[in-house]
Amino acid sequence: MADDRYELRDLRYLMKRLRDPHDGCPWDLKQTAQTIVPYTLEEVCELVDALERGDDRGARDELGDVLFQVVFYAQLAEERELYDFDDVIHGIVAKLLRRHPHVFPDGTLLSRRAGAEHAQERDIKERWEDIKQQERNARRQTHALDDVPLSLPALSRAQKLQKRATRLGLDWTSVTDVVAALKNETQEFEDALSTPAVEGVADELGDLLFTCVNLARKLDLDAEQLLRQSNHKFETRVRLCTDLASEQGTALEAMSEQERDAIWREAKRQLGSQSKS
């Protein structure tokens, strides 16, 4: 093997060595598909973080970590004689060929559209969903919601459930309708606050969040991404507030409410000026 530029085959060989019963790594040998799931989630989150921070080198490294997870799962499955890495590659290539008939009309890598106009994005999305539904039918998933993973983050799962429900005719007609529903849910939440029942408040707040996700979806926005952006904005402001308080020779928590409000407004002003520059 060349040691100057490693390739995918080298990673697969390394994985097999790590799992070798005689001279493999004790930690890797005791792992199962279930025990490495938390590490997979962690690696994906670290990749997303690097991408959102614009850290290209970090993203490259994190992509490697995610790829290692894929190779690990494939190795575990191969040992159980279920499938191997080549089966994984075959499966994804076949699926992408099947889902892109506007690019591969014959369903093969060699097929091309001869002089045809590019398909409209909306038509592509509709065809994509039709093909996915055919795949679900082939797997005997009879309900539109059957394969929405429980492990998805709540916002992402809410948006996916809502998107699937549209294929059953269960959707708002327009953004205006969702805004009206949001106002209604807000009123119901305010009404719940006037009663001592905590369960009612929690239930109405959940409905309010769910409707916010609906609004994001109707605006072609990703609710999970929006909240991550808001998290980042809030974190940046809090850190700047802490710095501004320190410059005044005090701690943020030691300030009065009025002083903290003033610090918060100044942080918003400074960050707003930076975003416009």
Side-chain angles (χ1 to χ4, degrees):
M1 295 183 186
D3 57 4
D4 56 336
R5 187 73 178 178
Y6 295 116
E7 301 176 356
L8 180 57
R9 62 182 178 180
D10 299 317
L11 177 59
R12 296 175 64 184
Y13 174 77
L14 179 146
M15 186 70 253
K16 289 181 182 295
R17 284 290 307 278
L18 291 175
R19 291 282 298 178
D20 188 285
H22 302 293
D23 61 355
C25 171
W27 186 89
D28 291 277
L29 281 169
K30 72 178 183 181
Q31 300 309 310
T32 66
Q34 289 70 38
T35 62
I36 63 173
V37 165
Y39 301 101
T40 305
L41 292 173
E42 181 179 340
E43 297 297 357
V44 171
C45 289
E46 290 177 356
L47 171 60
V48 171
D49 178 64
L51 291 169
E52 291 185 340
R53 288 187 289 104
D55 181 1
D56 295 330
R57 179 161 186 170
R60 182 202 66 183
D61 294 342
E62 298 301 341
L63 279 168
D65 291 341
V66 172
L67 177 59
F68 178 71
Q69 298 293 307
V70 176
V71 172
F72 206 149
Y73 285 113
Q75 175 63 30
L76 292 170
E78 183 177 354
E79 292 170 7
R80 297 176 59 199
E81 299 184 349
L82 300 173
Y83 56 84
D84 60 17
F85 187 81
D86 290 333
D87 294 325
V88 174
I89 297 299
H90 175 81
I92 185 59
V93 172
K95 179 164 67 175
L96 291 174
L97 287 172
R98 186 169 61 247
R99 291 184 179 182
H100 292 82
H102 52 288
V103 179
F104 307 100
D106 297 334
T108 68
L109 287 171
L110 298 178
S111 63
R112 302 181 68 90
R113 297 188 68 88
E117 293 290 334
H118 288 295
Q120 295 296 315
E121 184 177 357
R122 181 163 56 182
D123 295 335
I124 292 172
K125 287 182 178 179
E126 290 178 357
R127 188 180 300 140
W128 179 278
E129 288 300 327
D130 289 338
I131 294 171
K132 287 175 68 175
Q133 186 58 52
Q134 293 170 15
E135 293 170 357
R136 295 184 200 111
N137 294 340
R139 296 194 298 266
R140 296 185 178 181
Q141 293 175 331
T142 58
H143 199 283
L145 307 183
D146 277 351
D147 63 338
V148 180
L150 286 168
S151 58
L152 282 175
L155 287 179
S156 295
R157 189 165 194 270
Q159 192 153 343
K160 199 170 187 69
L161 287 170
Q162 293 167 5
K163 183 180 178 182
R164 290 287 181 82
T166 63
R167 300 184 68 79
L168 303 175
L170 300 174
D171 194 14
W172 303 107
T173 304
S174 66
V175 172
T176 303
D177 293 333
V178 186
V179 172
L182 185 60
K183 291 178 180 178
N184 183 63
E185 293 293 351
T186 302
Q187 183 60 58
E188 291 181 2
F189 171 68
E190 291 177 353
D191 293 342
L193 285 174
S194 64
T195 67
V198 177
E199 295 82 2
V201 172
D203 187 58
E204 294 300 340
L205 184 55
D207 290 346
L208 188 57
L209 288 171
F210 193 80
T211 306
C212 286
V213 174
N214 243 319
L215 182 57
R217 181 180 57 83
K218 293 298 285 187
L219 292 170
D220 289 327
L221 299 171
D222 184 88
E224 190 75 26
Q225 177 71 17
L226 293 177
L227 188 55
R228 284 201 299 268
Q229 291 172 354
S230 291
N231 285 343
H232 175 70
K233 181 166 62 176
F234 178 75
E235 180 182 4
T236 303
R237 285 180 182 174
V238 170
R239 289 182 182 278
L240 180 54
C241 285
T242 304
D243 292 341
L244 291 173
S246 180
E247 290 173 4
Q248 296 180 19
T250 185
L252 195 61
E253 58 269 29
M255 288 181 159
S256 67
E257 184 175 348
Q258 292 76 16
E259 290 172 329
R260 280 194 295 270
D261 286 343
I263 286 281
W264 182 260
R265 288 193 299 272
E266 175 60 18
K268 288 183 65 176
R269 186 193 68 77
Q270 290 191 21
L271 292 173
S273 300
Q274 291 176 15
S275 64
K276 294 175 183 177
S277 60

